[in-house]
């Protein structure tokens, strides 16, 4: 797993300073007190006092001394927090996955089980999700770790209070109370469990790997088409929590009916089901799962297979059109492509720029400021890691939850 990136958190002075120390250890790894002071701007004395409080609470510890070039031993602090863990569980079109990490984002345990995509049967999927959740909770207990953050991730819009899955067209769901169903299957499930849509998490995770990007448009396709809009560093959720449902941009005049009730939505021509059908690969979904079918589609597109290439070329102008519309509406400094589309970001970039030759100049900006379309770097783990890193950030913002 990649190292969790540095976060930005704030609070009262002491909490903020504790967070600075923890944040540095997360991003830089084991560090001497002098290194922490230099990186954070705190005094050496302040770092020593804060480190003592963190050590007493069991959050940090001293690593084994190492020798400097002059033969002098140097002692570094490292994250401990050996009694806590972060748990993220995810349901996608093929499988349920549970990921257990420590505070630094290092993987402690991962379990994945396929649910067979039983369309229209949320109970069958919840049974599998409960299975992996119990597995991860049992592992945490055996490791002597207390779950301090628990996030459930779905590849569908989430809304309401308490939150529910509003619809999952990839699994044939209408409204599903996922957390309620899970609690009935997993006695003792921590009450801290939250439910979040994958696109927001994946977008923030990808953004955290980009320097100085506070305004980002994220568009992805794996089980469907979704994404996120980040403005000023904050995810735009909208009035009802379903902001950036980009697969349902109604772009195509006289287009095919969509399950959302509109016609001509992007997903009807560029979504996984549409592409696989046009490429003659629908049968692979039942045999090997959606992810494997999309991997095969990508392989065939790259190999120049006529059917796969034709399907992609038909979808490409509409993907570019969605980016053109959304980039003018949101004015991002960067556009990141996720899911299986990430492997084809170069062709998306070309199609996007082909219809934007002078827009920057029209607004008095150089052409170099047209946002670049780039591939996401986190692959299939983007939402899982995004959830784990967001949970880490919440804990760093409130060190009292770690016993400090």
């Amino acid at each position: 797993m990649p190292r969790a990136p540095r976060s930005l958190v704030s609070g009262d002075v002491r909490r903020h300073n504790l967070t600075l120390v923890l944040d540095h250890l997360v991003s830089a790894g084991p560090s001497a007190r002098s290194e922490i002071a230099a990186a954070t701007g705190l005094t050496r004395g302040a770092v020593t006092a804060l480190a003592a409080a963190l050590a007493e609470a069991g959050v940090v510890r001293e690593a084994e001394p190492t020798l400097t070039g002059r033969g002098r031993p140097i002692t570094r602090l490292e994250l401990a927090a050996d009694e806590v863990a972060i748990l993220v569980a995810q349901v996608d079109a093929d499988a349920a996955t549970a990921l257990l990490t420590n505070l630094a984002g290092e993987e402690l345990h991962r379990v994945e089980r396929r649910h067979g995509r039983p369309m229209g049967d949320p109970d069958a999927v919840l049974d599998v999700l409960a299975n992996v959740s119990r597995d991860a909770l049992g592992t945490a207990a055996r490791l002597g770790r207390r779950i301090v953050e628990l996030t459930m991730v779905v590849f569908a819009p989430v809304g309401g209070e308490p939150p529910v899955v509003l619809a999952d067209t990839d699994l044939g769901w209408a409204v599903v109370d996922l957390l309620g169903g899970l609690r009935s299957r997993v006695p003792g499930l921590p009450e801290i469990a939250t439910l979040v849509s994958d696109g927001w998490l994946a977008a923030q995770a990808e953004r955290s790997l980009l320097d100085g990007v506070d305004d980002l448009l994220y568009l992805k396709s794996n089980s469907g088409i979704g994404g996120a809009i980040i403005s000023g560093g904050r995810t735009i959720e909208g009035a009802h929590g379903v902001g950036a449902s980009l697969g349902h941009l109604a772009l195509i005049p006289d287009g095919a009916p969509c399950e959302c009730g509109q016609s001509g939505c992007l997903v009807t021509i560029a979504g996984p089901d549409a592409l696989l059908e046009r490429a003659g690969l629908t049968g692979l979904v039942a045999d090997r799962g959606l992810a494997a079918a999309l991997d095969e589609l990508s392989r065939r597109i790259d190999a120049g297979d006529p059917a796969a290439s034709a399907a992609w070329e038909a979808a490409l102008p509409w993907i570019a059109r969605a980016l053109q519309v959304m980039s003018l509406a949101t004015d991002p400094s960067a556009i990141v492509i996720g899911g299986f589309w990430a492997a084809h970001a170069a062709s998306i970039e070309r199609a996007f720029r082909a219809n934007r030759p002078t827009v920057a100049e029209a607004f008095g900006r150089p052409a170099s400021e047209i946002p670049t379309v780039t591939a996401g770097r986190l692959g299939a783990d983007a939402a899982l890691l995004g959830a784990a890193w967001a949970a880490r950030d919440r804990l760093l913002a409130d060190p009292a939850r770690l016993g400090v």
Side-chain angles (χ1 to χ4, degrees):
M1 290 176 61
R3 177 176 289 279
R6 185 169 182 163
S7 64
L8 292 176
V9 291
S10 61
D12 60 64
V13 174
R14 182 174 185 275
R15 186 176 72 175
H16 177 66
N17 290 343
L18 286 166
T19 295
L20 288 177
V21 174
L22 290 171
D23 197 24
H24 177 81
L25 292 176
V26 167
S27 60
S31 303
R33 290 167 176 80
S34 59
E35 294 170 333
I36 298 172
T40 62
L42 298 170
T43 66
R44 173 67 184 270
V47 170
T48 298
L50 293 166
L54 291 166
E56 183 177 354
V59 180
V60 304
R61 63 185 167 218
E62 291 191 349
E64 288 295 320
T66 57
L67 294 178
T68 66
R70 299 179 180 180
R72 297 175 180 173
I74 183 171
T75 301
R76 287 185 165 86
L77 295 171
E78 63 182 7
L79 284 174
D82 295 331
E83 296 180 356
V84 301
I86 293 167
L87 174 58
V88 179
Q90 173 179 284
V91 178
D92 62 28
D94 293 321
T97 305
L99 173 67
L100 194 69
T101 77
N102 63 12
L103 188 60
E106 296 166 339
E107 185 174 312
L108 300 173
H109 180 67
R110 181 191 292 243
V111 56
E112 178 180 311
R113 293 192 175 91
R114 288 191 58 184
H115 51 60
R117 211 182 189 194
M119 298 297 291
D121 188 359
D123 284 334
V125 177
L126 287 174
D127 288 342
V128 180
L129 178 61
N131 187 289
V132 299
S133 298
R134 282 192 296 267
D135 182 296
L137 289 168
T139 298
R142 288 192 296 274
L143 294 173
R145 289 180 179 261
R146 170 175 55 95
I147 302 297
V148 288
E149 282 278 350
L150 172 54
T151 305
M152 297 290 166
V153 181
V154 290
F155 283 55
V158 170
E161 189 57 47
V164 296
V165 177
L166 297 178
D168 189 330
T169 56
D170 297 302
L171 292 175
W173 291 5
V175 174
V176 174
D177 182 4
L178 185 142
L179 291 178
L182 198 58
R183 287 195 173 97
S184 69
R185 290 167 169 81
V186 185
L189 185 77
E191 289 296 321
I192 57 175
T194 59
L195 181 65
V196 188
S197 182
D198 72 300
W200 303 342
L201 296 167
Q204 287 288 10
E206 294 287 3
R207 171 187 166 253
S208 70
L209 303 179
L210 303 173
D211 292 333
V213 172
D214 287 330
D215 300 280
L216 180 140
L217 176 62
Y218 178 71
L219 182 65
K220 60 95 181 180
S221 179
N222 27 38
S223 59
I225 297 175
I229 299 164
I230 297 175
S231 179
R234 298 177 63 87
T235 304
I236 304 302
E237 300 179 8
H240 304 97
V242 294
S245 297
L246 302 182
H248 296 287
L249 289 175
L251 299 172
I252 306 161
D254 302 317
C258 180
E259 292 183 13
C260 76
Q262 301 181 122
S263 61
C265 291
L266 179 62
V267 73
T268 63
I269 192 169
D273 293 337
L275 289 171
L276 290 169
E277 182 178 359
R278 289 187 176 90
L281 296 174
T282 302
L284 278 182
V285 177
D287 294 340
R288 295 164 51 188
L290 182 61
L294 292 175
D295 285 344
E296 177 61 18
L297 173 64
S298 285
R299 187 191 69 77
R300 294 192 184 193
I301 292 171
D302 289 340
D305 173 82
S309 297
W312 182 244
E313 289 301 319
L316 196 54
W318 298 107
I319 298 171
R321 178 69 57 84
L323 292 178
Q324 289 152 4
V325 169
M326 292 307 300
S327 64
L328 280 175
T330 64
D331 192 23
S333 56
I335 297 173
V336 175
I337 304 297
F340 88 96
W341 282 358
H344 308 286
S347 62
I348 294 174
E349 160 84 359
R350 289 193 295 271
F352 171 71
R353 285 184 172 267
N355 198 33
R356 293 207 38 168
T358 60
V359 67
E361 287 86 342
F363 288 95
R365 293 161 51 188
S368 61
E369 289 190 16
I370 296 176
T372 302
V373 178
T374 59
R377 293 159 56 183
L378 296 175
D381 276 350
L384 272 173
L385 293 176
W389 294 347
R392 183 281 316 268
D393 286 355
R394 289 190 293 272
L395 291 169
L396 293 185
D398 188 7
R401 295 177 57 194
L402 298 171
V404 181

